[in-house]
Amino acid sequence: MLQDIAEEWQVTATSTPFAGAKTSVRTDEVVMPDGGTAKRDYQVHPGSVAVVALDGDGRVLVLRQYRHPVRQKLWEVPAGLLDVPGENPLHAAQRELYEEAHVKAGEWRVLTDLYTSPGGSDEAVRIFLARDISEAEGERFEVSEEEADMEYARVPLAELVRDVLAGHVHNTCLVAGVLALHAALSGDGVDALRPAEAPWPARPFTA
């Protein structure tokens, strides 16, 4: 069994040349295995959650919104930041599913955990599987900025898998989540997935 391990090389100096509203850029001077040092620049990120919401007909809820850094409108799954340090990721995922899609779910599991770009960012993402989904009660959450222009669809899982492999869709959480769900259904089944409150060392949380 392969398993990543925790390790931290010595940092002799650090600075923050940029600090934004949600993320920042840090520069660390790190001691290398040969005894020398090297500078490493990376984005400091609070972490994110994403939700693969599967309905009773085997369709996945997806949305499309504009992403300025890549100059594209990308098909994605509902996702968002961990806005509060130590926030329970399940609660954050439930919030994002409600705010972005006005949907609630009766059953939750962890699909997979990942680092989006570990060579340049410390962003950690937990991707959940949500089943037994239905429309949430009350008024829809009022969206703004990029989210005000979102499109919505429910797409059969098999079709999404084909779109991923054909290079038609590129969002990290959609690609990883769809392939993880396909693998789970083709293997031991979703009941073998980790529970929704499973520990997450990359972003420890309280219940």
Side-chain angles (χ1 to χ4, degrees), residues 19 32-33 35-36 62 74 81 88 94 100 102 105 114 117 121 123 129 136 138 140 146 158 168-169 178 185 193 206:
M32 297 288 107
V62 293
L74 300 180
L81 298 176
N88 187 310
Q94 291 169 333
E100 293 196 347
H102 199 64
L114 56 88
S117 182
S121 174
E123 181 183 9
L129 170 64
R140 294 188 69 94
E146 292 95 337
H168 295 160
V169 293
V178 162
L185 291 171
L193 293 170
T206 57

Side-chain angles (χ1 to χ4, degrees), residues 127-199:
I127 304 177
F128 290 91
L129 170 64
R131 294 192 296 169
D132 186 22
I133 65 173
S134 59
E135 186 172 356
E137 296 88 359
E139 297 183 4
R140 294 188 69 94
F141 181 80
E142 186 175 347
V143 296
S144 61
E145 299 179 347
E146 292 95 337
E147 294 181 351
D149 191 38
M150 285 195 301
E151 305 168 54
Y152 299 87
R154 293 192 182 193
V155 183
L157 177 63
E159 184 176 324
L160 275 177
V161 171
R162 288 194 293 270
D163 289 338
V164 169
L165 298 180
H168 295 160
V169 293
H170 307 89
N171 175 265
T172 301
C173 294
L174 185 150
V175 170
V178 162
L179 295 183
L181 176 56
H182 176 69
L185 291 171
S186 301
D188 296 331
V190 296
D191 290 337
L193 293 170
R194 287 172 291 163
E197 298 277 7

